Amino acid sequence: MAHIRSDEIVASALRTSDAGVPDAENALRHGVAVKTIRRWRRLYQRQGLPRGQAHLTARCPRCDGADLDRQAYAELFGWYLGDGHITLGRRGVYALHIYNDLAYPVLNAHVRELMTRVKPRSRPHTREVPGCLVTTVSWRHWPCLFPQHGPGRKHDRALVLEPWQREVVEACPADFLRGLFHSDGCRVRNWARRRVAGELKRYDYPRWQFVNHSADIRRWCCEALDLVGVPWRASSWKTVSVSTREGVARLDELVGPKR
Ligand SMILES: [Zn+2]
């Protein structure tokens, strides 16, 4: 994958070039390859691409054949299905918002990273609503990547996976599950007392639960669990539970802690 430079470095290199500094010297000063300087000059000086508009002009994996970071996509898709939504703003630009508990700063930083991996060079912004952090990136192409976007709530509509999405999710089921379980899942600790050889012992039974009102999303969750070999059962009409010791351990490993 191409290395992503910060806008500041690009801007500084272009200013240096505008000032007449040769490409080789400019490359040295900014710690990049000469061909990178040439590419930036081609893009911004000759083709007149507006600087600082990268957040709107990023190429789309669906419309323009841009590369898609499949692992980041699979996970972000899980987050979107759990706690995300897309709104239409001005001039046909959509915004993807992911909601997550304020109590998990590491995961919130991770969501920002996922967004910039799916939309390179984007700068997610965040705002707080009671108890939650909302992370947002604007892009015309969010509906291309998340065609499940539509009017009304996700669980009131039939959702269909496009073939290319199914391919990505099947190639990266653990990433998809990480997004799903961190957004709409929780790890709960059940316990029970049992008398063993006359002695009362306490047993902990941790389990993972995924709760979602959409039968389609629950089915995709179960299919991904099948792919990673984690046994599950439907413990209520809206809940998928993983409760075998091996299944919980495997999911702990794949999903990681909430933090
Ligand atoms: Zn597109």
Side-chain angles (χ1 to χ4, degrees):
M1 202 181 73
H3 200 84
I4 308 305
R5 312 284 178 191
S6 83
D7 288 356
E8 285 76 7
I9 294 178
V10 178
S12 166
L14 288 168
R15 275 197 307 274
T16 307
S17 177
D18 288 344
V21 174
D23 291 349
E25 154 85 338
N26 198 356
L28 272 180
R29 282 195 206 174
H30 290 89
V32 300
V34 177
K35 67 174 193 212
T36 304
I37 296 285
R38 291 201 187 111
R39 182 162 52 82
W40 290 343
R41 292 211 294 111
R42 190 172 64 243
L43 282 173
Y44 296 98
Q45 288 181 338
R46 286 184 234 154
Q47 296 177 6
L49 202 68
R51 293 175 200 176
Q53 293 294 304
H55 60 293
L56 294 179
T57 56
R59 292 164 66 244
C60 171
R62 303 299 304 154
C63 303
D64 310 319
D67 283 342
L68 178 66
D69 182 327
R70 288 153 65 93
Q71 286 188 305
Y73 174 80
E75 185 172 347
L76 190 61
F77 184 42
W79 280 97
Y80 164 71
L81 292 173
D83 272 330
H85 81 123
I86 292 174
T87 54
L88 177 57
R90 295 190 304 139
R91 297 193 300 271
V93 178
Y94 291 86
L96 170 66
H97 314 274
I98 302 286
Y99 289 71
N100 190 42
D101 199 314
L102 266 175
Y104 304 125
V106 174
L107 282 178
N108 286 321
H110 181 60
V111 166
R112 289 197 289 281
E113 186 206 317
L114 289 174
M115 283 180 158
T116 52
R117 282 166 65 191
V118 172
K119 187 196 172 192
R121 296 185 305 282
S122 61
R123 282 167 292 184
H125 67 261
T126 53
R127 70 191 163 91
E128 287 183 19
V129 297
C132 265
L133 190 73
V134 189
T135 305
T136 300
V137 164
S138 297
W139 200 11
R140 283 178 201 283
H141 296 280
W142 285 126
C144 308
L145 291 182
F146 299 125
Q148 286 71 25
H149 171 63
R153 306 181 61 147
K154 293 187 202 91
H155 62 260
D156 293 330
R157 297 181 265 129
L159 302 179
V160 178
L161 270 187
E162 290 198 356
W164 69 269
Q165 286 183 296
R166 178 166 291 282
E167 214 175 277
V168 173
V169 167
E170 286 178 358
C172 313
D175 301 279
F176 182 56
L177 287 167
R178 198 175 308 117
L180 288 177
F181 275 90
H182 278 313
S183 57
D184 266 353
C186 57
R187 190 180 189 279
V188 293
R189 302 194 74 90
N190 292 7
W191 61 274
R193 285 189 207 284
R194 197 184 284 169
R195 194 170 287 280
V196 179
E199 209 177 312
L200 210 51
K201 282 196 166 177
R202 182 189 155 123
Y203 288 88
D204 281 311
Y205 300 98
R207 67 174 61 182
W208 278 97
Q209 290 184 323
F210 177 72
V211 182
N212 193 288
H213 288 222
S214 161
D216 298 311
I217 296 174
R218 290 197 305 278
R219 191 179 65 251
W220 300 341
C221 176
C222 295
E223 288 170 356
L225 287 168
D226 286 342
L227 283 174
V228 295
V230 169
W232 54 270
R233 66 190 176 87
S235 55
S236 82
W237 71 268
K238 59 178 181 179
T239 308
V240 176
S241 287
V242 170
S243 47
T244 65
R245 186 199 301 249
E246 295 76 17
V248 171
R250 177 91 172 111
L251 213 48
D252 282 346
E253 191 184 303
L254 296 178
V255 168
K258 293 218 182 224
R259 54 190 173 146

